[in-house]
Amino acid sequence: MMNCTTCGAQLPPESRFCLSCGAAVTVGGEAGTAPERSAENEQGEQEAGMESAATAEAQAGLWVRPETLVAEAVQPPRDAAVTAPAAAPARTGRAGAAWRWALPGIALLLVLAGLGADYWYQQRINDQVESLRLEGERLALEGDYDGGMERIDRALGRRPQHATLQDDKTLLAEAIQLKADIELAAGRAEQDAADYDGALKDIGAVQKTLKGRSGPLIDSILKLAAQKEESVVVAQVSSQLPGQKKLEGLTPLLARLSPYDSPDAVKAAQLVKQKIADLSYVQASAKLNSKNFDAALQIVADALKYDEKNEKLLALQKTVKERKAAFEQAEQDRIEKAIKAADAEDLYNRTDAVELVEAVKSYDEDGNFVVSGSIKNNATKPISAVTVYFDIVDAQGTAIYADTLYVYPDYVGVGEVGTFYGSYYNEETMNDIQVTKIEWQIE
């Protein structure tokens, strides 16, 4: 018996290829030497050889190579010595001599035919193994780890000692386990009693395990972990947002969403920004009503850092600046003068001059509750600083939120119309609006 010089497996006599690993077997060298044949009165033995070579590019496994690998090629026998069988006993006559000289050639042809058939059979097995390996790696990199493992196992069934296949199977098994760990962790955030912190901790453990490693398969696992981490963070922030009633609790939520840019993360961040704008609007309005213009402007400026294009905040900022300028110049004087002119016209202008044309509620594309409407100046003089007081009520008509909106433009001429607008984070119980009072100043 001979042993394969590549994998050490035992080989039957006359083997040209190892049935375990597919490697070529050298005949007549260190692996074994064919026995000599002899016969009396024969012309001697004739030897024939054939030489062929095939090369295969060695490549690394799934974890480290970025491109398709090339299979290890099986080399055909090199310089295999073929010994012709002993010639038949000499015959008398011309026919006997002809057969005696033809038999070695016939034997050589038969041996060469056998070697060729064996070579092409082994080459076909190698091609099948390579095809399965490449398909398995492709499926694995596309995320179908189970399909990839099935192809690798089939290939190993044909070449059990294939080193690259063995490495691929080991690494793919690890990837399957890591994927299962990530999916299990993300599932903790989808239960009725969602454990967001536990889910993030488990996903972080997988990411820590892969720290410092690289390659296409590693990258696919890290990408999956990042996606699941983002979905858990978005879900956690969305669950905490309704209960936040102070600015101090909203800014950390926005900071947690800042590393992510998926559509769900962007939408969640926009909802947080809207609620920051709502709370800032209320605080700034309170400062404005108490004539603390500088404090009101600071609150608005801080809120605009998170959403610089928020129309509600920008309108409020403009209103505060206009009122501050008017107050510094002559607002108090005009108020005192108007109080002294208590005639019928003045009384009318102060009590019945402003007509509420409409006040409606709607919803914007982000689901925010929108309040809008318009007023008309029926006074005999221009008016300014028109303020609309209203309540947001639920389906039963109970007031759940009270606020004020300022009419734009701030200066409304006789017979002219001004408008007001505001949007609010939808608490889901918001159903309608009720205007409770309108205030204005006579110019």
Side-chain angles (χ1 to χ4, degrees), residues 53-59 70-75:
T55 60
E57 182 180 355
Q59 308 226 1
V70 179
E72 299 151 335
V74 175
Q75 301 292 334

Side-chain angles (χ1 to χ4, degrees), residues 366-417:
D366 294 325
N368 295 311
F369 188 87
V370 177
V371 176
S372 61
S374 61
I375 59 94
K376 181 179 180 181
N377 179 14
N378 293 326
T380 59
K381 296 180 180 181
I383 61 175
S384 64
V386 182
T387 304
V388 179
Y389 293 78
F390 64 95
D391 292 336
I392 297 178
V393 300
D394 59 18
Q396 289 73 40
T398 303
I400 59 175
Y401 190 86
D403 201 3
T404 60
L405 289 174
Y406 303 102
V407 172
Y408 181 83
D410 191 60
Y411 183 92
V412 183
V414 176
E416 294 180 350
V417 174

Side-chain angles (χ1 to χ4, degrees), residues 232-278:
V232 172
V233 170
V234 171
Q236 186 176 30
V237 169
S238 299
S239 69
Q240 295 174 347
L241 181 59
Q244 296 296 332
K245 305 299 181 182
K246 296 183 179 180
L247 290 172
E248 294 79 3
L250 292 173
T251 50
L253 296 183
L254 194 60
R256 293 197 63 195
L257 292 170
S258 60
Y260 309 112
D261 57 3
S262 70
D264 289 340
V266 171
K267 182 177 181 180
Q270 189 57 45
L271 292 176
V272 176
K273 292 176 182 178
Q274 182 62 51
K275 195 159 189 180
I276 290 175
D278 293 346

Side-chain angles (χ1 to χ4, degrees), residues 11 15-19 22-25 74-77 115 118-119 122:
L11 306 175
S15 295
R16 303 303 179 186
F17 288 88
C18 177
L19 298 180
V25 177
V74 175
Q75 301 292 334
L115 288 174
D118 187 46
Y119 171 80
Q122 296 298 331

Side-chain angles (χ1 to χ4, degrees), residues 220-237:
S220 69
I221 292 293
L222 288 173
K223 182 179 180 181
L224 176 63
Q227 291 172 344
K228 294 299 182 180
E229 177 189 23
E230 179 173 349
S231 66
V232 172
V233 170
V234 171
Q236 186 176 30
V237 169

Side-chain angles (χ1 to χ4, degrees), residues 1-163:
M1 296 292 288
M2 297 186 295
N3 293 328
C4 175
T5 59
T6 300
C7 68
Q10 287 190 343
L11 306 175
E14 303 300 329
S15 295
R16 303 303 179 186
F17 288 88
C18 177
L19 298 180
S20 180
C21 69
V25 177
T26 302
V27 179
E30 295 182 357
T33 303
E36 298 182 354
R37 301 172 182 266
S38 61
E40 184 177 0
N41 297 327
E42 291 184 345
Q43 297 296 323
E45 296 181 348
Q46 296 184 0
E47 296 182 348
M50 60 180 295
E51 180 176 340
S52 63
T55 60
E57 182 180 355
Q59 308 226 1
L62 276 170
W63 295 113
V64 296
R65 65 178 176 281
E67 301 176 355
T68 305
L69 302 181
V70 179
E72 299 151 335
V74 175
Q75 301 292 334
R78 181 182 296 273
D79 296 330
V82 180
T83 303
R91 298 184 180 181
T92 58
R94 186 173 301 175
W99 274 107
R100 183 179 60 191
W101 286 102
L103 284 178
I106 295 173
L108 176 60
L109 290 176
L110 292 175
V111 170
L112 291 176
L115 288 174
D118 187 46
Y119 171 80
W120 290 113
Y121 172 77
Q122 296 298 331
Q123 188 61 44
R124 182 182 179 187
I125 295 296
N126 290 339
D127 291 342
Q128 293 173 350
V129 168
E130 176 65 2
S131 176
L132 287 170
R133 184 180 66 79
L134 293 176
E135 185 178 4
E137 292 179 358
R138 178 184 62 78
L139 291 173
L141 294 178
E142 291 175 355
D144 185 3
Y145 298 155
D146 292 333
M149 180 64 80
E150 188 270 339
R151 301 306 192 281
I152 297 298
D153 282 337
R154 285 169 56 188
L156 279 171
R158 290 167 170 79
R159 289 286 186 250
Q161 302 300 322
H162 197 296

